[in-house]
Amino acid sequence: PYLWNSLPENIRSIHSLSAFKSQLKNHLFKLAFNQYQYVVFLVFSILYFSISIFVLYIYYIKSAWSI
């Protein structure tokens, strides 16, 4: 009963099984995205920073060889 009661009223009141499954999936995806939004942002920030450092390193190596 706890999980059922934790669902929004608009999802609990759906009578069609296919509509219920669709709305439940959307609700769960929204919960998951909101919960991990900070983690996703952090991972992409680290990835962007790493790529930027790599590009600067390659540029520095090319500049050092051309002197």
Side-chain angles (χ1 to χ4, degrees):
Y2 174 76
L3 291 176
W4 178 258
N5 291 334
S6 68
L7 291 175
E9 179 62 35
N10 63 334
I11 294 177
R12 288 186 286 161
S13 63
I14 296 175
H15 297 292
S16 165
L17 180 61
S18 60
F20 174 77
K21 288 174 19 179
S22 174
Q23 291 299 317
L24 180 62
K25 182 185 77 167
N26 289 339
H27 176 69
L28 293 176
F29 272 116
K30 286 178 187 176
L31 286 178
F33 180 73
N34 286 337
Q35 183 177 5
Y36 296 108
Q37 185 175 6
Y38 178 74
V39 174
V40 170
F41 175 75
L42 185 62
V43 167
F44 279 116
S45 297
I46 291 171
L47 182 63
Y48 178 77
F49 180 74
S50 300
I51 290 171
S52 300
I53 295 296
F54 178 73
V55 168
L56 287 173
Y57 176 74
I58 295 299
Y59 179 76
Y60 175 76
I61 294 294
K62 282 183 138 182
S63 297
W65 280 99
S66 61
I67 294 178

